[in-house]
Amino acid sequence: MDTVDLLLHPVRLRVVHALSGGRTLTTSQLCALLPDTSKATVYRHVGLLADGGLLEVAGEQRVRGAVERRYRLQRARAVIDADTAAALSAEDHRQAFAAAMATLLAEFNAYLDRDGADPSADLVGYRQHALWLSQDELTEMIGEMRSVIVSRMGNEPAPDRARHLLSPVLFPSEEPPSSPADVGFPADEGFPADEGPNDHAAEPGV
């Protein structure tokens, strides 16, 4: 099973997320972090990730007569690089998106099921925004977002840090317009005289 196939599964993605930040965890500890998933399922998928080289054994100890292994994520292996992503078919992208959404739903439900979960106090967010962007503006925004995220990806677990799941989703929801009229403005008028591109009221939920 290659890296793409290994990562395109909700349980395996959740295991990868749980081991972020250089953590080393036993399968029992991973089961505790995935309380909605059976132990047999977690053990099976940990085994597949280890066999595929995405996890390595960081240590072993004997517990009640059995050998308990601690696992560490091989970060360099647990990625889908740009060339691989570019070669994915439309069906591959459908499967990848479905796995990502299933992972988010499972993680969010597990969060809400925890005692004391407080989305307001925890600054939980899942708003959606419709943005009109040129190709240059899109490239610039992605670069800005990437720099903010990457600068924090090296953070390691600490007493004052909690693991958060951030999952940017971005895609064009319409075909590019062929003329100004296609975006709702007459070709010779542009914006109304009393309204500029930055004067729109905020969308609901923003």
Side-chain angles (χ1 to χ4, degrees):
M1 194 178 297
D2 63 21
T3 299
V4 173
D5 289 333
L6 283 168
L7 290 177
L8 298 191
H9 189 283
V11 173
R12 293 195 288 270
L13 266 180
R14 294 175 70 188
V15 170
V16 168
H17 293 325
L19 287 166
S20 65
R23 291 170 103 182
T24 61
L25 299 172
T26 66
T27 310
S28 294
Q29 290 172 319
L30 288 167
C31 287
L33 293 172
L34 280 70
D36 55 314
T37 306
S38 71
K39 291 184 178 180
T41 298
V42 175
Y43 273 80
R44 181 170 69 254
H45 289 293
V46 167
L48 288 171
L49 288 168
D51 291 344
L54 274 67
L55 302 184
E56 65 174 353
V57 177
E60 296 180 347
Q61 61 181 2
R62 192 164 287 277
V63 178
R64 293 189 293 275
V67 175
E68 184 177 61
R69 295 183 175 88
R70 299 182 68 84
Y71 291 94
R72 178 188 296 118
L73 181 66
Q74 292 280 71
R75 288 188 59 184
R77 294 290 308 278
V79 296
I80 298 176
D81 60 34
D83 289 340
T84 300
L88 296 179
S89 66
E91 188 57 35
D92 290 332
H93 280 288
R94 287 191 179 94
Q95 293 178 10
F97 191 82
M101 294 303 100
T103 299
L104 279 177
L105 184 59
E107 291 279 12
F108 191 65
N109 284 331
Y111 158 71
L112 290 177
D113 288 340
R114 292 205 308 262
D115 290 338
D118 186 339
S120 179
D122 294 335
L123 303 180
V124 171
Y126 46 84
R127 294 172 178 171
Q128 296 180 341
H129 305 273
L131 307 176
W132 291 86
L133 302 167
S134 68
Q135 189 62 41
D136 287 344
E137 290 167 338
L138 175 62
T139 300
E140 180 182 27
M141 186 185 74
I142 290 174
E144 292 169 349
M145 293 173 62
R146 180 177 291 130
S147 67
V148 170
I149 296 170
V150 170
S151 68
R152 290 159 175 80
M153 287 181 65
N155 288 358
E156 296 182 353
D160 63 338
R161 286 176 176 158
R163 179 168 58 95
H164 291 73
L165 186 58
L166 176 65
S167 185
V169 176
L170 175 71
F171 57 89
S173 56
E174 297 180 7
E175 292 184 8
S178 57
S179 69
D182 292 336
V183 296
F185 296 103
D188 59 347
E189 292 184 16
F191 288 96
D194 61 348
E195 183 177 310
N198 298 317
D199 293 332
H200 292 288
E203 297 179 11
V206 176

